[in-house]
Amino acid sequence: MPLLRLLLLVVLMGKMGQGDSVCRLQGSAQPPELAQDGDLVIGGIFSFRTTQDYVINTFQTFPEVRKCNKYVFINFREFKFAQVVMFAINEINKNTNLLPNVKLGYKIYDNCGTVDILRAALALVSGLKEEVNEDNCNKSGTVHAILGHSGSRPTIAFAQIVGRFHIPVISHFATCACLSNRKEYPTFFRTIPSDYYQSRALAKLFKHFGWTWIGALAVENEYGLNGIAAFIQAAQEYGVCIEYSEVFSSSYRPDRLQRIIEIIKHATSKVIMAFMSHREIKLLAKELFRQNITGLQWVGSDAWITDDSLTDSEGHSLLVGSLGFTVSKAKIPGLEEHLRQLHPSQFPDSQFVRDFWEDVFDCALNNTANTQRKPCSGFESLQTVESKFTDVSELTFTNNVYKSVYAVAHALDNLIKCEEGKGPFSNGICADTKHIQPWQVLQYLNTVNFTTEEGERVYFDSNGDSPARYELVNLQMTNKGTMEGVTIGIYDASLPEIHQFILNNIPVEVPVSVCSETCLQGTRKVLQKGKPICCYNCIPCPAGEISNLTDSIHCMKCPSEYWSNKKRDTCVNKALEFLAYDEILGTLIAFFALLGVCLTMITILVFYAHKETPIVRANNSELSFLLLFSLTLCFLCSLTFIGRPTEWSCMLRHTAFGITFVLCISCVLGKTIVVLMAFRATLPGSNMMKWFGPAQQRLSVLCFTFIQVLICTLWLTINPPFPFNNMLLHKDRIILECNFGSAVGFWAVLGYIGLLAILCFVLAFLGRKLPDNFNEAKFITFSMLIFCAVWITFIPSYVSSPGKFTVAVEIFAILASSYGMLLCIFLPKCYVILFRPEQNTKKHIMGKMGATILLENFGLLVYGSLNGAIWSKLHLGLAMVTDKACLDTCL
């Protein structure tokens, strides 16, 4: 076997050595639809028709080239693209500054269907020569660049293959983001932005109009799948949720289309993103129209949003109002004149031009077999025809074709004008201008940079993409009954993020398409379990927290001195709570305090007016007036607890309360001791009463009060009370109160008052069995009983009362105890003085078996029914501390 292989190799080499090396084209070469010779040739692939004749391959013979169906709609836009290539090349050939002395030619193929578009691309790569040998290989049939195709799917198919031959491909309409992959498509360029930018622009559009709950449809090919995937990713970044995402193709069975129609019918979203071609959108619109499914807002990709053929489809009215992005419009001077000069005689070998002519003028040329139409007169001219072909008012994708031709021309011009030593190749060499290769043109296309006559800058980035700039269009019906895209905004990816999307002031009715309504200020979003983030419930913010933005995901806590308002959208100053004069409680307390002052002043006036009467003199008038004065201060000091706490009021209220109450109880205690001692000092030779004269009584009151003054002074010096904002008791308001500063100081003041009160109560209780005609100790007992009961209940009430009621409890204790002493001690005397004057006499006071002893020196009148033994002892005891003259006078 090895010997046989070696023999066969020798034979083959011998045959090759005997003849010339020949490269033969396998199969028949497909001629271009439109062609023009030139020194440098640019290829182009377009689809003048969109459907092909259906052919079943038997695989028994070589498959023939499938022809485009001539009886279907002619794609005027694609034919216009081809004419723009011809117009631009002729314009360049006349330009003395661009490619001087160089004639550009073109080869333009009209193919429909991905397989035949790939066949046309291979024809442009290999050329038309059936045999290439050493004699005719000087001039290659390979084009230097290929323009097209309009669709992403066919472009993806042939760009990979053509890229292996290093031939640049420049598309004006293929927007699939996948084509930016330089590893897969190393020679691909485009003068239209990538779908990556279109997807982000569409996502911003949805966010701008508040469409957060949408449906997504795409054609099942690389264009649709890549485009919708990029859109969904960008949409999710902007908080847009996809209710459903479906793909289909115009070649699918009808039941697949019906399934998608059912999804749309039962969906809650009202906005649909359609990333597809005009073929798929027309099928959808047709079926939706038949089933009367309306009220949808369509947002389309640039592949169909401005397609002229939409108007001719059934159900196109459903697409009125659709939004989408398209490339910017431009003007190409001289193009309209070029289009109107078109005539079949210019292209005698083009069957499509003849079909186009017959379709426009509805006549039959002589060399056609179409007998259903009248013969053409020969005077037909496009100069007087208004059609989509001759309309140059809105040149969008057409301008991209124009820029593609000039991009190749500028690359060739830079290549030819290269200065030696400054070339892009190794060691700075330049290309051989006599044998320019496509890979050399590719090198210069990477660095091409020029500005069109319209002022638009043309260049390619490292991925072969052009700058992204779109116009936002709204499909509207014109007076002619056609649909037209009206520009309502722009998107420029080269601008800063916040300025990329600009919407004009053109009114557009915006439908609502959300899963959940917008959460207003004062609420926050809580996601619904098992649903996308756009589906949520709006929960009011808790007290003390706010949300001042719509659709807030959390509530913010207010600062410590602030609280949320009722709407929970603003933090307001917390309400300040303190016992004020202008509220009912404060007014009532002030009223009773002033009433107490008035009653005390009336008592003073009554006692002063009857100061010489026995009942006044019997009550030690000096201590009685001092007691009434201290009670007045007690009533007045309660007013210091009302009003907003200040530094001075906090120090005054507790110290004034402590000192005045001690003064009051000291007076009562002095009266109690004198009464008790007067009846207890009965032993002969006892000198106890000399220690309870008027001077001693004054001194005792002063000493008892001085101790309280000393306690208050130490309290105010060491740690005095101060105003305090209590924010812990209530969350929604601030309690303005007086902090004790030193709790020891407060309870020391209160404890000292309690000690004197208990002592006074005990002594008065011991004197409860004194003679009944006048027993002041009994009244003091009642007053002290009330005093102690009030202050014992005060302690738990004070501790448990909230806010301003703490102060109210303290004021109530002050007023209750003050009223208790005033009424229990002085009301009976005032009653006798004012209403029973007959009882305010010595005779009544002495009684049947009694005697009256008036001790002026002590300020005490002792009277009652005394037996002889007691009276004798009392007289002897009193004689020791008073002079005989007084006793004789009093007796």
mmCIF file of all heavy atoms in Angstrom, residues 19-61:
data_model
loop_
_atom_site.group_PDB
_atom_site.id
_atom_site.type_symbol
_atom_site.label_atom_id
_atom_site.label_comp_id
_atom_site.label_asym_id
_atom_site.label_seq_id
_atom_site.Cartn_x
_atom_site.Cartn_y
_atom_site.Cartn_z
ATOM 1 N N GLY A 19 1.555 20.198 -17.809
ATOM 2 C CA GLY A 19 0.641 21.259 -18.201
ATOM 3 C C GLY A 19 0.740 22.440 -17.275
ATOM 4 O O GLY A 19 1.472 22.440 -16.296
ATOM 5 N N ASP A 20 0.004 23.492 -17.577
ATOM 6 C CA ASP A 20 -0.035 24.689 -16.749
ATOM 7 C C ASP A 20 -0.943 24.446 -15.562
ATOM 8 O O ASP A 20 -1.924 23.692 -15.628
ATOM 9 C CB ASP A 20 -0.540 25.871 -17.562
ATOM 10 C CG ASP A 20 0.399 26.190 -18.723
ATOM 11 O OD1 ASP A 20 1.602 25.902 -18.579
ATOM 12 O OD2 ASP A 20 -0.098 26.719 -19.744
ATOM 13 N N SER A 21 -0.636 25.159 -14.437
ATOM 14 C CA SER A 21 -1.492 25.077 -13.245
ATOM 15 C C SER A 21 -2.755 25.884 -13.512
ATOM 16 O O SER A 21 -2.699 27.033 -13.917
ATOM 17 C CB SER A 21 -0.742 25.615 -12.029
ATOM 18 O OG SER A 21 -0.370 26.947 -12.245
ATOM 19 N N VAL A 22 -3.900 25.245 -13.318
ATOM 20 C CA VAL A 22 -5.186 25.843 -13.627
ATOM 21 C C VAL A 22 -6.087 25.735 -12.397
ATOM 22 O O VAL A 22 -6.114 24.685 -11.748
ATOM 23 C CB VAL A 22 -5.864 25.165 -14.826
ATOM 24 C CG1 VAL A 22 -7.238 25.783 -15.077
ATOM 25 C CG2 VAL A 22 -4.987 25.287 -16.063
ATOM 26 N N CYS A 23 -6.839 26.854 -12.086
ATOM 27 C CA CYS A 23 -7.837 26.850 -11.007
ATOM 28 C C CYS A 23 -9.200 27.040 -11.658
ATOM 29 O O CYS A 23 -9.457 28.072 -12.284
ATOM 30 C CB CYS A 23 -7.551 27.979 -10.017
ATOM 31 S SG CYS A 23 -8.733 28.017 -8.630
ATOM 32 N N ARG A 24 -10.026 26.010 -11.584
ATOM 33 C CA ARG A 24 -11.321 26.048 -12.243
ATOM 34 C C ARG A 24 -12.436 26.306 -11.228
ATOM 35 O O ARG A 24 -12.431 25.754 -10.138
ATOM 36 C CB ARG A 24 -11.590 24.747 -12.994
ATOM 37 C CG ARG A 24 -10.702 24.561 -14.199
ATOM 38 C CD ARG A 24 -11.071 23.295 -14.965
ATOM 39 N NE ARG A 24 -10.276 23.149 -16.177
ATOM 40 C CZ ARG A 24 -9.070 22.595 -16.205
ATOM 41 N NH1 ARG A 24 -8.530 22.124 -15.096
ATOM 42 N NH2 ARG A 24 -8.412 22.505 -17.354
ATOM 43 N N LEU A 25 -13.392 27.100 -11.651
ATOM 44 C CA LEU A 25 -14.557 27.396 -10.822
ATOM 45 C C LEU A 25 -15.515 26.219 -10.865
ATOM 46 O O LEU A 25 -15.884 25.757 -11.937
ATOM 47 C CB LEU A 25 -15.255 28.658 -11.335
ATOM 48 C CG LEU A 25 -16.440 29.172 -10.514
ATOM 49 C CD1 LEU A 25 -15.967 29.664 -9.157
ATOM 50 C CD2 LEU A 25 -17.142 30.300 -11.266
ATOM 51 N N GLN A 26 -15.873 25.736 -9.689
ATOM 52 C CA GLN A 26 -16.788 24.609 -9.624
ATOM 53 C C GLN A 26 -18.228 25.115 -9.773
ATOM 54 O O GLN A 26 -18.708 25.903 -8.980
ATOM 55 C CB GLN A 26 -16.638 23.899 -8.272
ATOM 56 C CG GLN A 26 -15.260 23.335 -8.025
ATOM 57 C CD GLN A 26 -14.915 22.248 -9.044
ATOM 58 O OE1 GLN A 26 -15.760 21.401 -9.381
ATOM 59 N NE2 GLN A 26 -13.694 22.265 -9.566
ATOM 60 N N GLY A 27 -18.914 24.681 -10.782
ATOM 61 C CA GLY A 27 -20.276 25.114 -11.012
ATOM 62 C C GLY A 27 -20.305 26.370 -11.865
ATOM 63 O O GLY A 27 -19.288 26.922 -12.264
ATOM 64 N N SER A 28 -21.528 26.819 -12.156
ATOM 65 C CA SER A 28 -21.701 28.001 -13.002
ATOM 66 C C SER A 28 -21.700 29.261 -12.147
ATOM 67 O O SER A 28 -22.246 29.264 -11.048
ATOM 68 C CB SER A 28 -23.011 27.899 -13.778
ATOM 69 O OG SER A 28 -24.112 27.774 -12.887
ATOM 70 N N ALA A 29 -21.105 30.293 -12.652
ATOM 71 C CA ALA A 29 -21.035 31.565 -11.939
ATOM 72 C C ALA A 29 -22.321 32.341 -12.146
ATOM 73 O O ALA A 29 -22.848 32.412 -13.256
ATOM 74 C CB ALA A 29 -19.843 32.374 -12.420
ATOM 75 N N GLN A 30 -22.829 32.918 -11.065
ATOM 76 C CA GLN A 30 -24.051 33.702 -11.153
ATOM 77 C C GLN A 30 -23.699 35.147 -11.480
ATOM 78 O O GLN A 30 -22.930 35.793 -10.761
ATOM 79 C CB GLN A 30 -24.812 33.640 -9.817
ATOM 80 C CG GLN A 30 -26.090 34.470 -9.815
ATOM 81 C CD GLN A 30 -26.732 34.518 -8.441
ATOM 82 O OE1 GLN A 30 -26.225 33.930 -7.510
ATOM 83 N NE2 GLN A 30 -27.862 35.231 -8.352
ATOM 84 N N PRO A 31 -24.228 35.688 -12.548
ATOM 85 C CA PRO A 31 -23.899 37.080 -12.905
ATOM 86 C C PRO A 31 -24.639 38.055 -12.001
ATOM 87 O O PRO A 31 -25.720 37.756 -11.483
ATOM 88 C CB PRO A 31 -24.380 37.189 -14.354
ATOM 89 C CG PRO A 31 -25.490 36.195 -14.444
ATOM 90 C CD PRO A 31 -25.110 35.053 -13.539
ATOM 91 N N PRO A 32 -24.105 39.226 -11.812
ATOM 92 C CA PRO A 32 -24.776 40.232 -10.981
ATOM 93 C C PRO A 32 -25.975 40.824 -11.708
ATOM 94 O O PRO A 32 -26.077 40.784 -12.931
ATOM 95 C CB PRO A 32 -23.699 41.273 -10.732
ATOM 96 C CG PRO A 32 -22.787 41.157 -11.901
ATOM 97 C CD PRO A 32 -22.796 39.697 -12.294
ATOM 98 N N GLU A 33 -26.885 41.379 -10.945
ATOM 99 C CA GLU A 33 -28.071 42.021 -11.512
ATOM 100 C C GLU A 33 -27.699 43.355 -12.147
ATOM 101 O O GLU A 33 -28.191 43.699 -13.226
ATOM 102 C CB GLU A 33 -29.117 42.235 -10.425
ATOM 103 C CG GLU A 33 -30.441 42.775 -10.918
ATOM 104 C CD GLU A 33 -31.238 41.734 -11.686
ATOM 105 O OE1 GLU A 33 -31.063 40.510 -11.409
ATOM 106 O OE2 GLU A 33 -32.025 42.128 -12.552
ATOM 107 N N LEU A 34 -26.822 44.097 -11.459
ATOM 108 C CA LEU A 34 -26.359 45.392 -11.956
ATOM 109 C C LEU A 34 -24.838 45.408 -11.838
ATOM 110 O O LEU A 34 -24.283 44.999 -10.804
ATOM 111 C CB LEU A 34 -26.972 46.530 -11.129
ATOM 112 C CG LEU A 34 -28.508 46.551 -11.018
ATOM 113 C CD1 LEU A 34 -28.945 47.601 -9.995
ATOM 114 C CD2 LEU A 34 -29.141 46.828 -12.379
ATOM 115 N N ALA A 35 -24.158 45.891 -12.872
ATOM 116 C CA ALA A 35 -22.697 45.859 -12.848
ATOM 117 C C ALA A 35 -22.131 47.022 -13.653
ATOM 118 O O ALA A 35 -22.772 47.553 -14.572
ATOM 119 C CB ALA A 35 -22.184 44.532 -13.390
ATOM 120 N N GLN A 36 -20.906 47.397 -13.258
ATOM 121 C CA GLN A 36 -20.147 48.429 -13.968
ATOM 122 C C GLN A 36 -18.675 48.139 -13.741
ATOM 123 O O GLN A 36 -18.238 47.916 -12.616
ATOM 124 C CB GLN A 36 -20.507 49.817 -13.438
ATOM 125 C CG GLN A 36 -19.663 50.941 -14.058
ATOM 126 C CD GLN A 36 -20.032 52.312 -13.511
ATOM 127 O OE1 GLN A 36 -21.114 52.807 -13.785
ATOM 128 N NE2 GLN A 36 -19.121 52.915 -12.771
ATOM 129 N N ASP A 37 -17.920 48.123 -14.830
ATOM 130 C CA ASP A 37 -16.492 47.848 -14.725
ATOM 131 C C ASP A 37 -15.776 49.031 -14.081
ATOM 132 O O ASP A 37 -16.234 50.183 -14.153
ATOM 133 C CB ASP A 37 -15.893 47.568 -16.102
ATOM 134 C CG ASP A 37 -16.401 46.248 -16.682
ATOM 135 O OD1 ASP A 37 -16.758 45.364 -15.860
ATOM 136 O OD2 ASP A 37 -16.469 46.136 -17.915
ATOM 137 N N GLY A 38 -14.604 48.715 -13.528
ATOM 138 C CA GLY A 38 -13.811 49.753 -12.902
ATOM 139 C C GLY A 38 -12.456 49.238 -12.503
ATOM 140 O O GLY A 38 -12.191 48.024 -12.513
ATOM 141 N N ASP A 39 -11.548 50.170 -12.167
ATOM 142 C CA ASP A 39 -10.210 49.764 -11.717
ATOM 143 C C ASP A 39 -10.311 49.027 -10.378
ATOM 144 O O ASP A 39 -9.571 48.071 -10.135
ATOM 145 C CB ASP A 39 -9.321 50.999 -11.562
ATOM 146 C CG ASP A 39 -9.182 51.764 -12.877
ATOM 147 O OD1 ASP A 39 -9.176 51.099 -13.937
ATOM 148 O OD2 ASP A 39 -9.115 53.011 -12.842
ATOM 149 N N LEU A 40 -11.181 49.511 -9.540
ATOM 150 C CA LEU A 40 -11.447 48.876 -8.252
ATOM 151 C C LEU A 40 -12.948 48.641 -8.168
ATOM 152 O O LEU A 40 -13.746 49.513 -8.512
ATOM 153 C CB LEU A 40 -10.984 49.769 -7.090
ATOM 154 C CG LEU A 40 -9.497 50.160 -7.101
ATOM 155 C CD1 LEU A 40 -9.208 51.184 -5.996
ATOM 156 C CD2 LEU A 40 -8.613 48.927 -6.915
ATOM 157 N N VAL A 41 -13.348 47.467 -7.702
ATOM 158 C CA VAL A 41 -14.757 47.079 -7.749
ATOM 159 C C VAL A 41 -15.281 46.867 -6.328
ATOM 160 O O VAL A 41 -14.628 46.246 -5.490
ATOM 161 C CB VAL A 41 -14.954 45.802 -8.587
ATOM 162 C CG1 VAL A 41 -16.429 45.403 -8.612
ATOM 163 C CG2 VAL A 41 -14.429 46.012 -10.007
ATOM 164 N N ILE A 42 -16.489 47.409 -6.113
ATOM 165 C CA ILE A 42 -17.174 47.225 -4.834
ATOM 166 C C ILE A 42 -18.400 46.370 -5.086
ATOM 167 O O ILE A 42 -19.173 46.611 -6.029
ATOM 168 C CB ILE A 42 -17.611 48.583 -4.227
ATOM 169 C CG1 ILE A 42 -16.381 49.466 -3.997
ATOM 170 C CG2 ILE A 42 -18.386 48.380 -2.938
ATOM 171 C CD1 ILE A 42 -16.721 50.861 -3.505
ATOM 172 N N GLY A 43 -18.581 45.348 -4.277
ATOM 173 C CA GLY A 43 -19.730 44.465 -4.422
ATOM 174 C C GLY A 43 -20.878 44.903 -3.536
ATOM 175 O O GLY A 43 -20.711 45.622 -2.553
ATOM 176 N N GLY A 44 -22.086 44.463 -3.900
ATOM 177 C CA GLY A 44 -23.267 44.779 -3.109
ATOM 178 C C GLY A 44 -24.287 43.674 -3.197
ATOM 179 O O GLY A 44 -24.446 43.060 -4.247
ATOM 180 N N ILE A 45 -24.968 43.398 -2.069
ATOM 181 C CA ILE A 45 -25.997 42.358 -2.034
ATOM 182 C C ILE A 45 -27.251 42.964 -1.436
ATOM 183 O O ILE A 45 -27.243 43.441 -0.283
ATOM 184 C CB ILE A 45 -25.542 41.143 -1.198
ATOM 185 C CG1 ILE A 45 -24.211 40.588 -1.717
ATOM 186 C CG2 ILE A 45 -26.601 40.062 -1.205
ATOM 187 C CD1 ILE A 45 -23.654 39.458 -0.865
ATOM 188 N N PHE A 46 -28.339 42.926 -2.209
ATOM 189 C CA PHE A 46 -29.619 43.465 -1.751
ATOM 190 C C PHE A 46 -30.723 42.498 -2.148
ATOM 191 O O PHE A 46 -30.513 41.598 -2.978
ATOM 192 C CB PHE A 46 -29.875 44.847 -2.360
ATOM 193 C CG PHE A 46 -28.795 45.848 -2.043
ATOM 194 C CD1 PHE A 46 -27.769 46.096 -2.969
ATOM 195 C CD2 PHE A 46 -28.783 46.529 -0.840
ATOM 196 C CE1 PHE A 46 -26.775 47.008 -2.684
ATOM 197 C CE2 PHE A 46 -27.789 47.441 -0.551
ATOM 198 C CZ PHE A 46 -26.773 47.688 -1.476
ATOM 199 N N SER A 47 -31.881 42.668 -1.564
ATOM 200 C CA SER A 47 -33.031 41.805 -1.872
ATOM 201 C C SER A 47 -34.159 42.678 -2.393
ATOM 202 O O SER A 47 -34.918 43.260 -1.617
ATOM 203 C CB SER A 47 -33.484 41.042 -0.613
ATOM 204 O OG SER A 47 -32.470 40.182 -0.152
ATOM 205 N N PHE A 48 -34.252 42.739 -3.745
ATOM 206 C CA PHE A 48 -35.289 43.576 -4.347
ATOM 207 C C PHE A 48 -36.681 42.971 -4.153
ATOM 208 O O PHE A 48 -37.677 43.663 -4.209
ATOM 209 C CB PHE A 48 -35.007 43.768 -5.834
ATOM 210 C CG PHE A 48 -33.668 44.422 -6.115
ATOM 211 C CD1 PHE A 48 -33.052 44.280 -7.361
ATOM 212 C CD2 PHE A 48 -33.025 45.178 -5.132
ATOM 213 C CE1 PHE A 48 -31.827 44.876 -7.624
ATOM 214 C CE2 PHE A 48 -31.805 45.766 -5.407
ATOM 215 C CZ PHE A 48 -31.195 45.619 -6.634
ATOM 216 N N ARG A 49 -36.710 41.641 -4.005
ATOM 217 C CA ARG A 49 -37.950 40.952 -3.660
ATOM 218 C C ARG A 49 -37.705 40.151 -2.395
ATOM 219 O O ARG A 49 -36.588 39.734 -2.111
ATOM 220 C CB ARG A 49 -38.391 40.033 -4.800
ATOM 221 C CG ARG A 49 -38.797 40.774 -6.081
ATOM 222 C CD ARG A 49 -39.385 39.800 -7.087
ATOM 223 N NE ARG A 49 -39.846 40.470 -8.296
ATOM 224 C CZ ARG A 49 -39.115 40.640 -9.390
ATOM 225 N NH1 ARG A 49 -37.866 40.201 -9.416
ATOM 226 N NH2 ARG A 49 -39.620 41.241 -10.444
ATOM 227 N N THR A 50 -38.775 39.887 -1.657
ATOM 228 C CA THR A 50 -38.596 39.281 -0.328
ATOM 229 C C THR A 50 -38.948 37.811 -0.274
ATOM 230 O O THR A 50 -38.717 37.161 0.734
ATOM 231 C CB THR A 50 -39.466 40.020 0.710
ATOM 232 O OG1 THR A 50 -40.826 40.017 0.257
ATOM 233 C CG2 THR A 50 -38.993 41.458 0.872
ATOM 234 N N THR A 51 -39.512 37.259 -1.350
ATOM 235 C CA THR A 51 -39.868 35.832 -1.338
ATOM 236 C C THR A 51 -39.306 35.147 -2.571
ATOM 237 O O THR A 51 -39.012 35.779 -3.585
ATOM 238 C CB THR A 51 -41.398 35.638 -1.306
ATOM 239 O OG1 THR A 51 -41.981 36.294 -2.437
ATOM 240 C CG2 THR A 51 -41.998 36.217 -0.023
ATOM 241 N N GLN A 52 -39.187 33.804 -2.419
ATOM 242 C CA GLN A 52 -38.664 32.983 -3.506
ATOM 243 C C GLN A 52 -39.695 31.953 -3.934
ATOM 244 O O GLN A 52 -40.633 31.631 -3.197
ATOM 245 C CB GLN A 52 -37.400 32.245 -3.039
ATOM 246 C CG GLN A 52 -36.185 33.137 -2.842
ATOM 247 C CD GLN A 52 -35.007 32.315 -2.346
ATOM 248 O OE1 GLN A 52 -35.091 31.688 -1.311
ATOM 249 N NE2 GLN A 52 -33.931 32.333 -3.099
ATOM 250 N N ASP A 53 -39.469 31.445 -5.157
ATOM 251 C CA ASP A 53 -40.277 30.321 -5.608
ATOM 252 C C ASP A 53 -39.901 29.093 -4.794
ATOM 253 O O ASP A 53 -38.720 28.848 -4.508
ATOM 254 C CB ASP A 53 -40.033 30.039 -7.097
ATOM 255 C CG ASP A 53 -40.515 31.194 -7.964
ATOM 256 O OD1 ASP A 53 -41.463 31.889 -7.535
ATOM 257 O OD2 ASP A 53 -39.921 31.416 -9.037
ATOM 258 N N TYR A 54 -40.915 28.344 -4.382
ATOM 259 C CA TYR A 54 -40.663 27.174 -3.544
ATOM 260 C C TYR A 54 -40.145 26.029 -4.398
ATOM 261 O O TYR A 54 -40.752 25.661 -5.411
ATOM 262 C CB TYR A 54 -41.950 26.760 -2.825
ATOM 263 C CG TYR A 54 -41.729 25.724 -1.764
ATOM 264 C CD1 TYR A 54 -41.086 26.036 -0.573
ATOM 265 C CD2 TYR A 54 -42.169 24.413 -1.977
ATOM 266 C CE1 TYR A 54 -40.895 25.076 0.400
ATOM 267 C CE2 TYR A 54 -41.975 23.447 -1.008
ATOM 268 C CZ TYR A 54 -41.336 23.782 0.181
ATOM 269 O OH TYR A 54 -41.126 22.838 1.139
ATOM 270 N N VAL A 55 -39.000 25.463 -4.034
ATOM 271 C CA VAL A 55 -38.360 24.387 -4.789
ATOM 272 C C VAL A 55 -38.057 23.236 -3.842
ATOM 273 O O VAL A 55 -37.570 23.456 -2.726
ATOM 274 C CB VAL A 55 -37.066 24.872 -5.470
ATOM 275 C CG1 VAL A 55 -36.377 23.713 -6.186
ATOM 276 C CG2 VAL A 55 -37.368 25.986 -6.461
ATOM 277 N N ILE A 56 -38.350 22.007 -4.264
ATOM 278 C CA ILE A 56 -38.018 20.804 -3.490
ATOM 279 C C ILE A 56 -36.786 20.169 -4.134
ATOM 280 O O ILE A 56 -36.809 19.756 -5.300
ATOM 281 C CB ILE A 56 -39.187 19.814 -3.475
ATOM 282 C CG1 ILE A 56 -40.423 20.450 -2.815
ATOM 283 C CG2 ILE A 56 -38.796 18.539 -2.733
ATOM 284 C CD1 ILE A 56 -41.641 19.544 -2.835
ATOM 285 N N ASN A 57 -35.703 20.105 -3.382
ATOM 286 C CA ASN A 57 -34.469 19.510 -3.898
ATOM 287 C C ASN A 57 -34.564 17.989 -3.814
ATOM 288 O O ASN A 57 -34.905 17.417 -2.780
ATOM 289 C CB ASN A 57 -33.263 19.999 -3.096
ATOM 290 C CG ASN A 57 -33.014 21.487 -3.309
ATOM 291 O OD1 ASN A 57 -33.095 21.974 -4.439
ATOM 292 N ND2 ASN A 57 -32.721 22.204 -2.236
ATOM 293 N N THR A 58 -34.228 17.345 -4.961
ATOM 294 C CA THR A 58 -34.271 15.871 -5.017
ATOM 295 C C THR A 58 -32.919 15.256 -4.698
ATOM 296 O O THR A 58 -32.839 14.039 -4.497
ATOM 297 C CB THR A 58 -34.707 15.434 -6.413
ATOM 298 O OG1 THR A 58 -33.753 15.897 -7.384
ATOM 299 C CG2 THR A 58 -36.084 16.002 -6.748
ATOM 300 N N PHE A 59 -31.867 16.059 -4.711
ATOM 301 C CA PHE A 59 -30.511 15.593 -4.445
ATOM 302 C C PHE A 59 -30.058 14.558 -5.474
ATOM 303 O O PHE A 59 -29.134 13.781 -5.253
ATOM 304 C CB PHE A 59 -30.379 15.011 -3.030
ATOM 305 C CG PHE A 59 -30.706 16.002 -1.950
ATOM 306 C CD1 PHE A 59 -31.943 15.980 -1.330
ATOM 307 C CD2 PHE A 59 -29.778 16.954 -1.579
ATOM 308 C CE1 PHE A 59 -32.243 16.895 -0.361
ATOM 309 C CE2 PHE A 59 -30.083 17.873 -0.594
ATOM 310 C CZ PHE A 59 -31.317 17.857 0.019
ATOM 311 N N GLN A 60 -30.690 14.590 -6.637
ATOM 312 C CA GLN A 60 -30.283 13.736 -7.750
ATOM 313 C C GLN A 60 -29.578 14.543 -8.829
ATOM 314 O O GLN A 60 -28.868 13.981 -9.659
ATOM 315 C CB GLN A 60 -31.502 13.022 -8.342
ATOM 316 C CG GLN A 60 -32.150 12.053 -7.368
ATOM 317 C CD GLN A 60 -33.385 11.395 -7.953
ATOM 318 O OE1 GLN A 60 -33.830 11.758 -9.057
ATOM 319 N NE2 GLN A 60 -33.937 10.409 -7.233
ATOM 320 N N THR A 61 -29.827 15.845 -8.832
ATOM 321 C CA THR A 61 -29.163 16.752 -9.760
ATOM 322 C C THR A 61 -28.664 17.956 -8.971
ATOM 323 O O THR A 61 -29.062 18.183 -7.818
ATOM 324 C CB THR A 61 -30.148 17.226 -10.852
ATOM 325 O OG1 THR A 61 -31.256 17.886 -10.228
ATOM 326 C CG2 THR A 61 -30.643 16.047 -11.689
#
